[in-house]
Amino acid sequence: MNTVYTKMKSPVGELTLVATANGLAAILWPKDDPARVRVKPGTLNEGHPLLRKAAAQLTEYFAGKRKVFDLALDFDGTDFQKQVWRALLTIPFGETRSYAEIAKAIGKPTAVRAVGAANGRNPISIVAPCHRVIGSNGKLTGFAGGLAAKATLLKLESA
């Protein structure tokens, strides 16, 4: 898979945006575990049209001016992971869901732990809003960007 990338500054740290010919494939965190996602950054291309569009939409999101992203996405994962990641896209801005609610939404109510694992491997953080998934007890749980970044994103969306 050929990929291109660019970097952008954000309130949650410098993000690496990665695209394929088919769409945005990853948003990687400053200290992301290289084994967390299958997609690797590839070649630097700061002028790539999709990466420029993604960076612009993320900038609008962080400024409180965008609630919905309009980007072609290219998820690379198992069928189950892709099912979970598509379910993330249905969580409205400013709302949260539990892992159990996501499991139920995809028709696999007993797969709560597997949903958690898939959520943790979501390659397109923020756009596919894994930060909106919380524990059944309402507490913030693991997040690739760190719990402080998750809290920042949720606070931004609650404003």
Side-chain angles (χ1 to χ4, degrees):
M1 170 189 317
N2 291 329
T3 60
V4 293
Y5 78 95
T6 192
K7 293 185 180 276
M8 71 171 283
K9 295 196 182 315
S10 83
V12 290
E14 185 176 70
L15 302 174
T16 301
L17 313 181
V18 184
T20 67
N22 297 320
L24 184 65
I27 298 176
L28 304 174
W29 296 94
K31 295 179 182 176
D32 218 329
D33 177 355
R36 186 180 68 83
V37 299
R38 296 179 185 197
V39 179
K40 303 302 172 221
T43 306
L44 178 64
N45 185 339
E46 295 173 342
H48 189 277
L50 177 64
L51 293 175
R52 291 174 61 99
K53 183 178 180 181
Q57 289 189 20
L58 283 162
T59 298
E60 292 169 357
Y61 167 82
F62 289 121
K65 297 177 181 171
R66 177 173 289 276
K67 295 182 178 184
V68 177
F69 292 94
D70 179 24
L71 299 165
L73 304 179
D74 187 14
F75 286 114
D76 184 17
T78 67
D79 289 342
F80 179 80
Q81 287 172 330
K82 289 177 186 178
Q83 190 176 20
V84 170
W85 300 335
R86 282 191 300 273
L88 298 176
L89 295 170
T90 69
I91 305 172
F93 180 91
E95 295 185 22
T96 59
R97 299 290 184 271
S98 69
Y99 296 99
E101 288 171 315
I102 297 294
K104 195 178 293 183
I106 65 169
K108 296 179 172 52
T110 60
V112 176
R113 286 184 181 216
V115 164
N119 196 61
R121 291 194 167 285
N122 171 23
I124 312 177
S125 297
I126 305 169
V127 172
C130 50
H131 62 278
R132 295 181 190 153
V133 182
I134 60 174
S136 294
N137 60 3
K139 296 206 179 213
L140 299 187
T141 56
F143 185 62
L147 291 183
K150 185 172 190 165
T152 297
L153 296 172
L154 292 172
K155 183 177 180 183
L156 179 144
E157 292 187 14
S158 69

